[in-house]
Amino acid sequence: MEKDIFLYNTLTRQKETFKPVDDKNVRMYVCGPTVYDRAHLGNARPVVVFDTLFRLLRHKYGQNHVTYARNITDVDDKIMARAHETGESIESLTTRTTQAYHDDMGALNALPPTIEPRATGHIAEMIALNEVLIAKGHAYVAEGHVLFHVPSMKNYGQLSRRSRDELIAGARVDVAPYKKDAADFVLWKPSAPDQPGWESPWGRGRPGWHIECSAMAGKHLGTTFDIHGGGLDLIFPHHENEIAQSCCAHDGAPLAHVWMHNGFLTINHDKMSKSLGNFFTVNDLLQKHHGEVIRLALLSAHYRQPLDFSEEKLQECKVTLEKWYSALGNCTDIENEYADLSQRHQLQVFGPAEEALCDDLNTPQAMTELNQLAAKIFKLPLGSDERKKLSHTLRYSAQFLGLLYWTIDQSKFDHLISARMQARHKKDFAKVDQLRAEIQKLGVQIEDGPKGTYSLRPFWG
RNA sequence: GGCGCGGUGGCAGAAUGGCUAUGCAGAGGACUGCAAAUCCUUGGAUGCCGGUUCGAUUCCGGCCCGUGCCUCCA
């Protein structure tokens, strides 16, 4: 792919041409879930957004030249609190929740990341990082805690564009007495005997929130990597502090070149919250809507914009997908061209949607291109070469969005279709309708076109 | 109080210093065993006030409104 990729960088507040450190190994880190509860819809947005970016990067740099790391935070006070409430063991809770996360994100057709490091598997790296920070004068020990000393870093606050003074002025929380500076944050904290903990040079304890990402990113992606992503709310303090830890440990080497942050989502224009009763887990939604529909809805606004979720939006996305599937081709096209979808990346048909995605992941623009493509396809004669070619492009383009991956049992389908065709010629409409119902059981809704032909679309009940 | 983001047609949602997407919804027509889809035609927008400019929705300033973050929430 010749086209350059442009990405908006929170660090510079500008759209920049993406230039990887090593184009043989493009590296991206995205903050993953804390596994104490089912993922909610808000958790799904960064997953789908960065999955889309992952797909685009893999296309441009090669399937095996992109490393995507997304962590699992499996040690955290929220986890401890939940386990304490319910009596479930921490291990059981985190294992079960991690599995549910994989299931839910898989249902949204998010590819598994290349690496999924777990915090509890990297305690030694975190301790080592703390020791480096202490040795270099960026951290200190106080009352069993290890704290990062913010004034030790001259340019702290670059990502969020906040000065240390501003932070302190706006602080809403009491400053712990053992902190040398009000802005200092915890790298390591002591654990009570009944809390999970690991032996360390500072006694038995557990990591602070930010240190795990620095340690895991450093281990798996190297000192400096290409893209670091997450939700808008992570800019401060989480990502700011990751930068502080990693840069100071590595004598100023940048942690990541490009910082990307997705916007929040609202539900019917309200903030999603338990008190408003509009709090949905991904799994809740999957009971009512196909994952592909939810995925499209999550991509229907640009990732940096707020995204409003509603039942109407889901309905509209469902109809849109059905239209695209219908445009994809009649059964003949499916049989001849798309039987093995894993081969479709070899088609190398340039798609305009691809170009839209190269412009800072403009997914709404990509949707427009797919709509345009579908409209063109519908105007062309069924079975024509031109129509097939555009169908190729549609299928090909949609793969970048992780859409139009749906397939059918081809042999059964072909058999039923030809039987129905015959019944139709005989005008045996009772049989025709009965066969339509049978085809529907395969998950396909067929439609009769103007010339007795068929279009195909998934049937989602 | 500090830092930031946004206000585009009925709704959703891109883009752009001049020719203003796209989808849904609406109106009219075509097609049609049923059902559905599709096709053709069509009305409709850039919060307010100034400035820069031959020309601004787009750039600059002010205002109004909404919204996010400010130590563990994607």
Side-chain angles (χ1 to χ4, degrees), chain A residues 139-192:
Chain A
Y140 59 94
V141 182
E143 299 182 22
H145 294 69
V146 179
L147 291 130
F148 185 91
H149 193 43
V150 168
S152 76
M153 184 184 189
K154 308 153 293 298
N155 49 5
Y156 180 84
Q158 285 207 304
L159 184 69
S160 57
R161 307 220 167 168
R162 267 175 249 228
S163 72
R164 190 198 67 100
D165 294 341
E166 286 164 0
L167 296 179
I168 293 167
R172 295 182 303 195
V173 175
D174 291 340
V175 177
Y178 47 80
K179 287 187 179 180
K180 280 190 192 171
D181 186 277
D184 291 353
F185 58 91
V186 173
L187 300 172
W188 186 266
K189 56 187 165 189
S191 289

Side-chain angles (χ1 to χ4, degrees), chain A residues 171-403:
Chain A
R172 295 182 303 195
V173 175
D174 291 340
V175 177
Y178 47 80
K179 287 187 179 180
K180 280 190 192 171
D181 186 277
D184 291 353
F185 58 91
V186 173
L187 300 172
W188 186 266
K189 56 187 165 189
S191 289
D194 63 333
Q195 293 174 323
W198 291 262
E199 289 307 322
S200 80
W202 320 286
R204 186 172 172 282
R206 60 188 192 280
W209 178 32
H210 318 297
I211 194 71
E212 59 169 289
C213 288
S214 283
M216 294 190 285
K219 177 176 182 186
H220 296 286
L221 300 181
T223 301
T224 299
F225 53 94
D226 299 297
I227 298 169
H228 192 125
L232 206 56
D233 56 325
L234 294 180
I235 294 175
F236 188 88
H238 185 53
H239 289 166
E240 196 69 78
N241 291 346
E242 277 185 54
I243 289 173
Q245 293 158 357
S246 293
C247 285
C248 288
H250 299 137
D251 301 318
L255 175 58
H257 287 305
V258 184
W259 289 79
M260 295 176 67
H261 296 94
N262 62 275
F264 269 42
L265 67 81
T266 53
I267 310 287
N268 296 317
H269 303 289
D270 286 321
K271 185 172 179 177
M272 181 167 65
S273 74
K274 284 180 180 162
S275 57
L276 286 172
N278 61 1
F279 186 93
F280 301 114
T281 67
V282 173
N283 191 251
D284 291 336
L285 216 52
L286 282 168
Q287 306 307 312
K288 274 193 76 180
H289 300 277
H290 193 278
E292 191 171 3
V293 174
I294 300 170
R295 182 177 176 108
L296 181 59
L298 286 169
L299 294 173
S300 66
H302 183 87
Y303 76 92
R304 282 190 280 117
Q305 295 300 122
L307 171 65
D308 190 54
F309 227 81
S310 62
E311 193 62 32
E312 296 74 52
K313 170 159 285 183
L314 287 165
Q315 278 308 321
E316 197 177 315
C317 286
K318 180 183 167 192
V319 169
T320 299
L321 277 174
E322 287 175 343
K323 178 167 72 178
W324 291 346
Y325 271 113
S326 186
L328 221 41
N330 62 13
C331 43
T332 310
D333 286 331
I334 296 292
E335 178 184 24
N336 294 340
E337 313 290 352
Y338 307 113
D340 183 0
L341 292 183
S342 67
Q343 300 299 310
R344 70 188 180 211
H345 67 273
Q346 294 176 4
L347 299 173
Q348 294 298 325
V349 182
F350 181 78
E354 185 181 346
E355 190 166 354
L357 293 179
C358 286
D359 182 15
D360 195 31
L361 236 47
N362 194 337
T363 52
Q365 184 62 42
M367 287 173 65
T368 293
E369 302 296 352
L370 297 190
N371 274 323
Q372 297 295 82
L373 218 40
K376 278 188 201 164
I377 288 170
F378 284 126
K379 287 172 201 163
L380 293 165
L382 275 165
S384 66
D385 286 348
E386 184 64 10
R387 183 162 177 142
K388 277 185 188 169
K389 193 178 148 219
L390 289 186
S391 297
H392 266 123
T393 305
L394 178 58
R395 186 74 103 159
Y396 176 79
S397 299
Q399 74 173 311
F400 294 104
L401 295 165
L403 299 170

Side-chain angles (χ1 to χ4, degrees), chain A residues 35 74 89-100 118:
Chain A
V35 282
D74 58 354
S89 76
I90 284 179
E91 199 196 337
S92 163
L93 172 63
T94 57
T95 304
R96 185 170 58 77
T97 309
T98 300
Q99 184 56 52
R118 300 168 69 93

Side-chain angles (χ1 to χ4, degrees), chain A residues 416 420 431-444 446:
Chain A
L416 291 169
R420 183 168 180 274
K431 183 154 192 188
V432 169
D433 289 345
Q434 179 228 320
L435 283 163
R436 167 155 44 203
E438 279 191 46
I439 290 166
Q440 194 157 293
K441 285 183 198 153
L442 292 177
V444 185
I446 51 167

